[in-house]
Every structure is written in C-alpha cells, then in structure tokens.
Amino acid sequence: MAEFSFQNKTVVFIIKVCSLAGAERQALGLASYLKENYNCKIHFVATHSAEQTDEFRNFALKCGVQNIEYYGTPSLAVRKGFSYANFKKTLRAYFYLNKVKKGIKNMKPDVIIPYMNFASKLSALIYKDVGAKYTFWHELGESDNYYYDILEKKAVKQIPFFCANAKDGFNTFQNYYGVKEGDCNLLTQYVSFAKIDFDVNVVKEELGIPKNKLVYGMIAHFRDQKHPELLMEAFSKIAFEKEIHLVFLGNKDNDASTLKKYNSLVDLSKKLNIQDKVSLLSGASVEKVLSAIDVGVLVSEFEGAPTVLMEYMMYGKPIIATDHVGCKLLMGESEFLVAKNDVNSLENKMVKLYENPDLRNQIAEKHVELVKKYSLENYCLRLKELFEKYS
C-alpha cells in the first residue's frame, strides 16, 4: 500500500456530454475542489459531445473549467465473430483509441477520473498507455449502459478497482464478469454546492409559484429513466381538494428526447386539467427551486445514490422517492420510499406529508443531519484511501 496525495497531481476527468446532470456537476465540483485545495492541474474530456449547454458552461466557469477536449464520434463496441461489420467496428475502435491516447498522453496525467460506464471503459483501456498511475471504474447507476463486448471484457480485467455509489451498481461486474467482491467499493457521491438562503417569497414570485400552497418538487432532467408523469398523475388525484402546487425542474433543451419529454408533460398537465397547478421549469436555478419547494420528490426507473436527494436533505426537505437501493442508502428505512410505478402509494405519501406538518419538520431536521457526512472533503478522503489500497 503506497501513500497517495492529490497534491500537485494532474487529473483528467472523462465525462460523456457537457450538460449539467448529476455526474457532470459532481465532476466539475470535484475538479474545482482539487484545484483550489491541492493545486491540481485539471483537464476535461467529453466522449460523446463537446457542445455545452448554457447551464453547464456557467457552472463550469464557476469551477474554473473552460476547455473541454473532444476526440470525435466514440466507437468502442467490438463483438466476437468474423464479419465485415465487425471488422469496421474494430477499425473504428482502433483509430478512436489511438486518437484519445495521443490527446490525453499530451496532458501528462497522474490520475484519470471517469464518470459512468463508457468513460470508465475508455479509461481502463488507455490509462497505462498515457502514463496515468491511478484510475478506477466509476459506475453511477446507469444500468442500461453496458455492451458486454470484447473491449468491455478487456477493460474490466485491466481496471484496478470498481466503485459504485450504491450496492446494486456491482451486479453486472460480479454476476456477469466475475469480479471479486473485495474489488468492489462504495463511493457515495457528495453534495456538490453549498446551501444559499433566499427570500422564499421573492423566489416564488420570480418563478411563478403560489405563495400559500404546499409545494411538491421534482428536480431531474427530462430523461426516459425519470418518471415525472407518474408524479403528475398522483398529484392530479388530490390537486383540487388540497392547497398544493407541483414544480418540475429539468433542462428541456438538452437534446431532442428531453424536449419531447418536456412537451409530453405539458400535454399531460392539460389533459389532466391541472396546468394552472403545475410549474414546468427549464434552466431555472436549482438552488432557488430547492428553496421554494416544501417536499422533494424523485420518481424514476433506476438510480445510483442520487445527488438530488442529498440536495433536498441539505435544504431541509422531506422526501418521497422510488425504492431503489441508492435512495434507501441515503434515506434509511423510510416509509416514504415507494415501489416503482405505484401511483396510489405515491398519492398516499403526498397526502400524509400534506396533513402532517410536524412530521415534515421532523424528517427535515433528520435529513439535515444525515447529509452532513456526504461532504466533498469526505469524498476525497475516500478516494485517497482507495488509491492507496490498490496502488
């Protein structure tokens, strides 16, 4: 076991795209922390697109990150068997890997920190050739993003160790690839920004949110694995008998699929006749929305340990979330974890919190204490321990 320090290291972060979802916010926040506290030299590589959303660009500039390298259309899926199509894929992968190696080698990295499976696969295949001593597989709950191909098998064998922010993130590695349990390590994410105290009434007026109603809010990108439509359906069942309002925040302009999802929610709100009781926001300040809501909600198909739950906790919000392993890790044995697609249970939990302000306050106080352990400082200490363990 060799002692490790981030001091004066050159760190390359590999992300997928330049939009500000949880993984990208985590990467940028960690980059800023390492630069300010350990004098690290920071580089960023985006594998699938270097086009930046305004939200990403603004946050990146706050974190001191300006330049994002991009090496063209990624290609790393090579199957077994002989065919012309597979031969072409092999050539594309070869040229892509060499282009990436050349670019990252010029950065002279000590550490490569990938985010999600494609970036981890890439890091495993190149880190030794580019001179990096430290890297790992970083699984963040993207359970539909495995290829099970030759290069992935090779990458799994070459990577020093595996991290996930919840235990179910290791299922593919252990059950399909036979990775030893001892090489699988929890690395739960951190709260990526500090709490800002706003005047709630001013924020509500700015965002068009009613001031005298209990506000449920779901902060999540409008992506297929998120299910805001189920929350809207549950909300509609009680919207006309309770003094309540519903807020969604995401980025509708991230790509064609997010815009489609956003538009479908607009249509659903009209179909349910609740369009005046729902705020569909895009591009608004996360911190302002966090201050304006009373109950945080996350309804989804799968999750790791979602950072938005930590953000709800930091702002002292009770939470209703789908019963995933990562949500349970953060919330504990909460009665407000609901089964997937269970609209009736979701409705019942919303009603219970509406009718019990004392319970809301008790949960909020508990959450504020729970989230304190998910600090950036503790996250870096955990990474340091892992790099020392596997060096």
Side-chain angles (χ1 to χ4, degrees), residues 3-148:
E3 185 175 353
F4 172 84
S5 172
F6 278 109
Q7 194 67 40
N8 300 322
K9 292 290 192 297
T10 297
V11 183
V12 175
F13 288 82
I14 304 181
I15 59 175
K16 185 176 181 180
V17 293
C18 300
S19 63
L20 200 60
E24 293 77 24
R25 188 181 289 275
Q26 292 280 307
L28 290 168
L30 178 57
S32 177
Y33 183 84
L34 293 177
K35 184 177 180 180
E36 292 176 7
N37 291 275
Y38 293 96
N39 195 37
C40 288
K41 187 174 182 180
I42 301 297
H43 296 276
F44 262 74
V45 173
T47 57
H48 285 64
S49 173
E51 185 176 349
Q52 300 181 24
T53 65
D54 290 341
E55 186 182 24
F56 179 94
R57 184 179 297 105
N58 292 336
F59 191 75
L61 289 174
K62 285 182 183 179
C63 295
V65 175
Q66 296 183 358
N67 299 319
I68 314 289
E69 297 294 325
Y70 173 64
Y71 299 109
T73 305
S75 181
L76 281 185
V78 177
R79 307 290 179 186
K80 288 183 178 180
F82 296 97
S83 69
Y84 180 66
N86 209 36
F87 176 70
K88 288 174 63 178
K89 287 181 179 180
T90 302
L91 282 179
R92 283 198 298 267
Y94 173 81
F95 287 116
Y96 176 71
L97 280 171
N98 277 303
K99 190 174 183 180
V100 175
K101 285 179 186 178
K102 183 178 179 181
I104 295 182
K105 189 173 184 178
N106 289 335
M107 301 173 188
K108 299 180 180 179
D110 300 297
V111 182
I112 298 178
I113 301 181
Y115 281 78
M116 299 190 291
N117 291 321
F118 184 90
S120 298
K121 179 180 180 179
L122 177 61
S123 181
L125 293 170
I126 69 169
Y127 82 100
K128 290 182 179 179
D129 293 332
V130 301
K133 185 175 180 181
Y134 303 96
T135 194
F136 59 100
W137 197 293
H138 200 180
E139 211 280 356
L140 295 175
E142 298 289 336
S143 61
D144 62 344
N145 196 27
Y146 293 96
Y147 289 90
Y148 305 102

Side-chain angles (χ1 to χ4, degrees), residues 149-195:
D149 70 311
I150 294 172
L151 288 179
E152 187 168 275
K153 183 177 182 180
K154 181 179 179 182
V156 168
K157 287 184 177 181
Q158 292 185 174
I159 204 78
F161 62 94
F162 301 81
C163 286
N165 57 8
K167 288 184 178 180
D168 61 347
F170 302 123
N171 290 343
T172 297
F173 303 123
Q174 294 178 348
N175 299 333
Y176 185 84
Y177 286 117
V179 174
K180 296 177 181 178
E181 185 176 353
D183 290 333
C184 297
N185 306 271
L186 279 179
L187 180 66
T188 306
Q189 304 293 66
Y190 64 91
V191 183
S192 57
F193 53 78
K195 182 184 178 184

Side-chain angles (χ1 to χ4, degrees), residues 327-368:
C327 296
K328 186 177 291 184
L329 171 70
L330 299 177
M331 294 170 62
E333 295 295 334
S334 172
E335 65 175 295
F336 293 97
L337 289 165
V338 300
K340 284 199 299 185
N341 305 319
D342 191 342
V343 173
N344 290 333
S345 180
L346 188 55
E347 174 196 351
N348 292 336
K349 302 307 180 185
M350 294 171 76
V351 170
K352 184 163 185 176
L353 287 176
Y354 176 84
E355 294 178 344
N356 292 275
D358 289 341
L359 178 60
R360 294 201 303 270
N361 291 333
Q362 290 170 15
I363 296 172
E365 291 175 2
K366 177 184 176 183
H367 284 171
V368 169

Side-chain angles (χ1 to χ4, degrees), residues 240-291:
F240 295 98
E241 60 187 67
K242 311 287 185 187
E243 291 296 315
I244 57 177
H245 191 78
L246 180 59
V247 175
F248 293 101
L249 173 62
N251 182 0
K252 67 182 176 65
D253 298 317
N254 189 57
D255 54 38
S257 65
T258 56
L259 181 59
K260 181 179 178 182
K261 184 96 167 182
Y262 175 87
N263 289 333
S264 71
L265 291 171
V266 172
D267 292 341
L268 180 59
S269 70
K270 293 176 180 177
K271 180 180 179 181
L272 297 171
N273 197 30
I274 57 172
Q275 61 269 35
D276 295 334
K277 300 178 181 294
V278 176
S279 297
L280 281 158
L281 306 177
S282 177
S285 161
V286 171
E287 294 92 333
K288 287 184 177 180
V289 174
L290 283 166
S291 69

